[in-house]
Structures are given as structure tokens and as C-alpha cells.
């Protein structure tokens, strides 16, 4: 039986509702999202409930993290459907502000994390992670949640948010939740709905090539030919562009030349018009 559920649209209402819970002795988790919720997002709510006894979520399609040629206008939006899914998953509060509420006229403050956003996705999406850090710092500051839960599919985003929350003493513990995959292995993403059936089938080469590379590295293969084989597999599957396939340290995101504790294989590639990302621990 789903518990009580309410929707608020102003930051002061979010602050008050969560402070009220905390005054009653509850620990509160915040799950920030851009909506178009799938099982991966709902797993973030489930993860939140492991670390807190109340979960709030936010839905805000953040214009500041989209480039001028990106999919802000066509990004899927379904607040009523999302609210029903959140409630069913055990979330009790939804913060769904308008763009004018988040960024009123005169808004002029940005959060920029140095270093971590420079490479990988940040190299091909300039300004993207400044937009993410800005909106997430606003959400964490307004909520003052005990815990913030973010998906591990956006590993670079997670590393940046961890750094930002620690550097700014936001007081919210950042938790990463494991990637949720379709039965065939493709990581769930709101953007998967842009793929036509043919592209959806071929997109599977992304996790498959990373798994093959991970297994090869674990078996002692050298890094350069292993990554070259993964690039080739993606090209042969019809990916139009491979932005990167790299072995990096999972905290600093610096490139590694061999597997070591904390090593992670990360990739981004474009299928049709859809840019997909994925990563695996090595
Ligand atoms: O991962 C997302 O959905 C977004 O980047 C986030 C963290 C909600 C910030 O807009």
C-alpha cells in the first residue's frame, strides 16, 4: 500500500517538508532526476530506503546541462506518470519546480568543479557538468537531505557530485546505486526511447564490447589492443561515433594503463542520434 505522497514546487516548501521529517527523527534521502522514469530511477528510490526512512525525489529537466544542439526540447516529460511510479516505489515527496523557480531572472551563480569534468563526457559536452553541479548543489542545499542517491551509469557525474558535496560541506552523504540493465544487458536510460528497434538491437554492442574488454583485461591482456578491439566492435555494430573507451581510476577519472583496484572501463558512443554511455568495474 503506497504511503502519503505530495508534490511541492518551491524550494522553501522542500526545505520545510524535509526539515519537518528530520525534526520527527526521520533520516531523509533525496533522489534527483530529470523524469521520464524507468526501473533504474525506481531502484534509486529503493536504494534511498536502505539508507533513510523517508525518500523525496525531484523532477527537473535542467536546461543548464544541455548544449545548444542537444535534446532539451524533445527530452521526454510525463510528470503524472512519473509521480505515480515514485509513489508506488515508496517515495513520499516530489519536488517539481519550474525553470523560472530554479533560475529566476537575474540568476547568476554557478558551481564549477575543477578537473574532473574536463575529460570523458565533459570533453564532448562543454559546460554540461557545470550545469549538473549547479542544479544538484541547489537541490542538496534546499533539501538538506541526509543522503543523496545517484545512478552509477553516469559514473563521471557521480564522481563530480561526490567531490562537489564534500568540497562545499553540503552535509549530504552521496550514495551510488548500481546500474539497472534490460534483460539483454543494455543499461536503462531515458534516452533509450529515442532508439528505433534496429538501433536498439545494435546498441547492445556497447555493454558487450565493454564486458569483452573487461574479461580480457582480467585475463591479463594488454590495454591498447583490448581497447582497439572494443572500438572496432562498436564501429562494426554501426555506432556512428565513439567518444571514448577508457580505463580510468574510478575516483579521480585519470587514465590507467593497466587494471588496478578501483579501475573502471567507461565508454560513450553514438547510435543513430542517441548518445549512450556505460561503464563496468574491472
Ligand atoms: O542524472 C540526472 O538525471 C541529472 O543529471 C541530475 C543528476 C538529476 C541533475 O539534473
Amino acid at each position: 500500500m503506497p504511503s502519503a505522497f505530495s508534490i511541492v514546487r518551491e524550494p522553501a516548501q522542500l526545505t520545510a517538508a524535509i526539515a519537518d521529517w528530520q525534526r520527527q527523527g526521520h533520516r531523509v534521502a533525496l533522489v534527483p532526476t530529470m523524469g521520464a522514469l524507468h526501473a533504474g530511477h525506481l531502484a534509486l528510490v529503493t536504494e534511498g530506503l536502505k539508507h533513510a526512512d523517508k525518500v523525496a525525489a525531484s523532477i527537473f529537466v535542467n536546461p543548464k546541462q544541455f548544449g545548444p544542439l542537444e535534446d532539451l526540447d524533445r527530452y521526454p516529460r510525463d510528470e503524472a506518470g512519473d509521480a505515480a511510479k515514485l509513489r508506488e516505489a515508496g517515495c513520499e515527496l516530489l519536488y517539481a519546480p519550474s525553470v523560472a523557480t530554479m533560475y529566476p531572472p537575474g540568476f547568476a551563480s554557478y558551481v564549477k568543479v575543477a578537473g574532473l569534468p574536463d575529460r570523458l563526457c565533459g570533453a564532448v559536452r562543454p559546460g554540461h557538468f557545470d550545469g549538473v553541479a549547479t542544479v544538484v548543489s541547489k537541490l542538496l542545499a534546499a533539501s538538506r537531505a541526509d543522503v543523496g542517491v545517484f545512478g552509477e551509469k553516469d559514473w563521471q557525474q557521480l564522481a563530480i557530485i561526490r567531490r562537489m558535496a564534500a568540497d562545499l560541506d553540503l552535509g549530504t552523504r552521496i550514495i551510488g546505486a548500481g546500474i539497472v540493465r534490460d534483460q539483454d544487458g543494455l543499461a536503462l536510460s531515458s534516452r533509450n526511447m529515442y532508439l528505433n528497434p534496429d538501433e536498439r538491437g545494435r546498441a547492445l554492442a556497447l555493454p558487450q564490447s565493454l564486458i569483452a574488454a573487461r574479461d580480457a583485461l582480467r585475463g591479463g591482456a594488454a590495454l591498447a589492443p583490448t581497447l582497439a578491439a572494443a572500438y572496432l566492435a562498436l564501429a562494426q555494430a554501426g555506432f556512428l561515433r565513439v567518444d571514448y573507451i577508457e580505463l580510468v581510476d574510478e575516483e579521480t577519472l585519470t587514465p590507467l594503463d593497466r587494471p588496478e583496484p578501483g579501475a573502471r572501463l567507461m565508454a560513450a558512443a553514438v547510435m543513430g542520434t542517441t548518445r549512450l554511455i556505460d561503464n563496468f568495474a574491472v
Side-chain angles (χ1 to χ4, degrees):
M1 176 72 177
S3 40
F5 184 81
S6 47
I7 301 180
V8 295
R9 300 194 186 274
E10 297 296 327
Q13 294 173 305
L14 178 70
T15 309
I18 292 186
D20 201 35
W21 276 341
Q22 288 166 330
R23 259 194 308 275
Q24 293 167 34
H26 297 297
R27 279 178 62 75
V28 182
L30 180 73
V31 176
T33 80
M34 296 206 302
L37 303 182
H38 50 66
H41 295 109
L42 303 178
L44 303 182
V45 174
T46 306
E47 187 65 30
L49 286 167
K50 291 184 195 157
H51 302 273
D53 45 353
K54 297 279 184 194
V55 172
S58 62
I59 295 179
F60 180 65
V61 183
N62 174 31
K64 295 201 182 295
Q65 68 186 79
F66 288 78
L69 301 178
E70 292 186 346
D71 55 342
L72 174 62
D73 292 338
R74 69 169 178 151
Y75 199 85
R77 290 160 169 88
D78 173 20
E79 186 187 296
D82 288 343
K85 290 177 190 168
L86 286 168
R87 179 175 193 178
E88 190 61 33
C91 168
E92 292 181 56
L93 177 67
L94 170 60
Y95 177 47
S98 67
V99 173
T101 297
M102 279 302 239
Y103 303 122
F107 181 90
S109 301
Y110 289 81
V111 175
K112 185 176 178 61
V113 176
L116 287 173
D118 294 347
R119 303 182 58 260
L120 306 168
C121 287
V124 276
R125 303 185 71 189
H128 166 69
F129 288 118
D130 299 346
V132 170
T134 299
V135 80
V136 172
S137 63
K138 280 171 69 69
L139 292 167
L140 296 182
S143 69
R144 295 166 208 170
D146 300 283
V147 174
V149 191
F150 297 84
E152 291 184 351
K153 182 171 72 68
D154 292 312
W155 189 274
Q156 186 173 16
Q157 168 174 282
L158 178 61
I160 289 167
I161 290 170
R162 280 203 167 111
R163 181 77 267 155
M164 186 261 304
D167 289 352
L168 299 184
D169 302 322
L170 291 177
T172 300
R173 190 157 71 92
I174 304 301
I175 308 275
I179 299 176
V180 179
R181 297 179 181 279
D182 263 338
Q183 271 185 348
D184 61 5
L186 187 69
L188 296 189
S189 163
S190 305
R191 291 188 168 103
N192 288 357
M193 64 177 72
Y194 300 151
L195 298 167
N196 66 36
D198 175 55
E199 292 167 346
R200 170 65 185 76
R202 288 186 287 132
L204 207 49
L206 183 59
Q208 286 174 345
S209 61
L210 287 177
I211 289 169
R214 176 199 66 190
D215 293 348
L217 292 173
R218 283 182 179 168
L223 182 63
T226 302
L227 295 185
Y231 272 94
L232 185 62
L234 293 189
Q236 284 172 342
F239 276 87
L240 297 180
R241 196 180 85 215
V242 179
D243 285 341
Y244 59 84
I245 308 174
E246 284 199 35
L247 184 71
V248 300
D249 176 86
E250 62 184 15
E251 199 182 320
T252 63
L253 306 180
T254 47
L256 300 173
D257 53 15
R258 67 180 62 83
E260 56 186 59
R264 194 161 278 265
L265 266 173
M266 308 208 350
V270 177
M271 172 58 73
T273 58
T274 310
R275 189 170 178 280
L276 301 173
I277 57 175
D278 204 347
N279 68 84
F280 284 85
V282 178

